[in-house]
Amino acid sequence: MSWLVTGGAGYIGAHVVASMVTAEMDVVIVDDLSTGDSSRVATGVPVVNVSLLDQAAVRQIFTAYNITGVIHLAAKKRVDESLRQPSVYFRENVEALRILLDECARAGVRNFLFSSSAAVYGNPGSTVVDEDVMCLPTTPYGQTKLAGEWLVHGVGAACGMRTTALRYFNVAGAASPGLADTYLANLVPIVLDAVMRGRPARIFGDDYPTADGTCVRDYIHVADVADAHIAAAQALENGDLSSGRALNIGTGRGVSVREVVEVAMSITGSDVAPVVEPRRAGDSPAVVAAVERAHRELQWKAVRTLDDMIASAWEACLRVPDRVLTS
């Protein structure tokens, strides 16, 4: 069986591909390299540099590589940018997915794993959210992810393709320095970038209804996320996973932004105090994953700690600073 991984040269995608190679799964990557980096990709894995919006090019990939399963990670993901450019996000995240699914149906793809997000929940009524909570996304980014889930489920049901959506919470860390997150829109890279430059970390809002006033999130190591993909892909292949389900991929533990900053300062030895700035639009006070369904259906559990995440990301900063500090 050959798996197509879209966005496989990205931060999460490259980790997923590396784990798939270790598991001796056949992998092909499609990535437009707008934010991906082909140097992240494991040696020997084909990388096709095309946009998913180019339907003819996508069709050629399915023909050339006999694709029978897809892991779809390619997407635009900046919440603030989505608020400014919603139509761009719907084109890149929904229209591109529609084209991909059309070609999956045409090619008879049997399994489809969709990269979703906790952003689909919006501002839930409780801190800990399970997959049955009503999804009311508050940003165009979250809306595109929810629309993507609907589209994947609908096409899968219509053509007999097994599908699953993995709702990521806040991904951080690196399995190796070369796979580090270089995208300065995520909290851990932002904080470590500030440390590298000798600047104060920025905390956006300290007046939320949480214990220390800063947003609370569920942070999960990217290597645990990659392990979840292997478990889900294998469960789909074996027919062990109910089709059309969504699964939270997190730790089940909440950590505040201030706590993340404090751990980062401790690990890096920084003594530059953080500064508090106004809230960002679209940020929810607290969102933590209920993870029992993923534990039960995937036989998977996150095992790495916040210290592991920040220490591994910091090691990458020290070993490849020029790359990590570019965005």
Side-chain angles (χ1 to χ4, degrees):
M1 175 170 187
S2 294
W3 284 90
L4 178 67
V5 180
T6 72
Y11 165 52
I12 298 175
H15 279 88
V16 171
V17 169
S19 293
M20 295 175 78
V21 170
T22 299
E24 300 183 342
M25 300 167 72
D26 290 332
V27 186
V28 178
I29 291 171
V30 59
D31 199 307
D32 66 6
L33 301 180
S34 58
T35 57
D37 182 348
S38 59
S39 70
R40 286 183 172 130
V41 177
T43 302
V45 176
V47 180
V48 184
N49 180 11
V50 300
S51 167
L52 293 177
L53 292 166
D54 185 343
Q55 188 157 0
V58 174
R59 184 170 301 173
Q60 289 176 358
I61 295 169
F62 280 90
T63 301
Y65 292 98
N66 190 29
I67 302 299
T68 53
V70 172
I71 299 178
H72 179 56
L73 297 108
K76 294 183 74 64
K77 63 175 188 176
R78 290 192 63 151
V79 170
D80 58 340
E81 184 180 61
S82 79
L83 291 164
R84 298 191 302 271
Q85 300 178 335
S87 64
V88 171
Y89 269 67
F90 275 87
R91 182 183 70 239
E92 296 289 337
N93 292 2
V94 180
E95 174 59 12
L97 174 59
R98 183 197 64 77
I99 290 170
L100 177 64
L101 287 167
D102 280 355
E103 294 309 311
C104 287
R106 184 188 300 272
V109 167
R110 296 193 295 271
N111 301 300
F112 194 101
L113 188 55
F114 177 60
S115 166
S116 190
S117 168
V120 300
Y121 294 119
N123 289 313
S126 59
T127 297
V128 179
V129 293
D130 65 27
E131 295 87 347
D132 295 324
V133 168
M134 181 176 292
C135 293
L136 296 171
T138 58
T139 65
Y141 167 68
Q143 292 161 4
T144 65
K145 284 299 183 181
L146 184 56
E149 288 190 17
W150 293 339
L151 186 56
V152 168
H153 176 65
V155 173
C159 68
M161 181 169 62
R162 293 187 291 265
T163 66
T164 297
L166 301 183
R167 293 175 178 169
Y168 308 158
F169 280 65
N170 295 266
V171 185
S176 67
L179 299 181
D181 188 0
T182 63
Y183 198 52
L184 295 184
N186 299 324
L187 179 62
V188 171
I190 290 173
V191 171
L192 295 182
D193 176 69
V195 170
M196 290 290 286
R197 299 178 188 276
R199 298 174 181 169
R202 300 156 67 197
I203 294 175
F204 295 98
D206 65 351
D207 58 349
Y208 287 94
T210 61
D212 65 15
T214 66
C215 291
V216 170
R217 294 290 184 269
D218 188 328
Y219 294 90
I220 179 170
H221 199 295
V222 65
D224 283 325
V225 173
D227 290 345
H229 281 78
I230 302 302
Q234 292 175 341
L236 281 172
E237 284 183 326
N238 297 334
D240 295 334
L241 195 58
S242 300
S243 186
R245 300 294 294 276
L247 301 173
N248 286 340
I249 302 301
T251 65
R253 299 183 298 274
V255 180
S256 76
V257 171
R258 189 174 292 279
E259 289 176 282
V260 171
V261 171
E262 288 173 351
V263 170
M265 292 176 67
S266 174
I267 287 173
T268 63
S270 172
D271 59 0
V272 181
V275 297
V276 176
E277 298 189 2
R279 295 184 182 191
R280 296 182 304 186
D283 279 346
S284 304
V287 183
V288 178
V291 292
E292 291 75 17
R293 182 182 292 179
H295 294 175
R296 182 176 63 252
E297 299 206 13
L298 300 181
Q299 302 299 302
W300 162 90
K301 181 180 292 187
V303 297
R304 297 163 180 89
T305 66
L306 179 64
D307 281 19
D308 294 332
M309 297 175 219
I310 295 178
S312 62
W314 180 237
E315 180 186 0
C317 287
L318 295 178
R319 290 180 60 177
V320 282
D322 291 341
R323 182 174 164 204
V324 172
L325 294 178
T326 58
S327 179

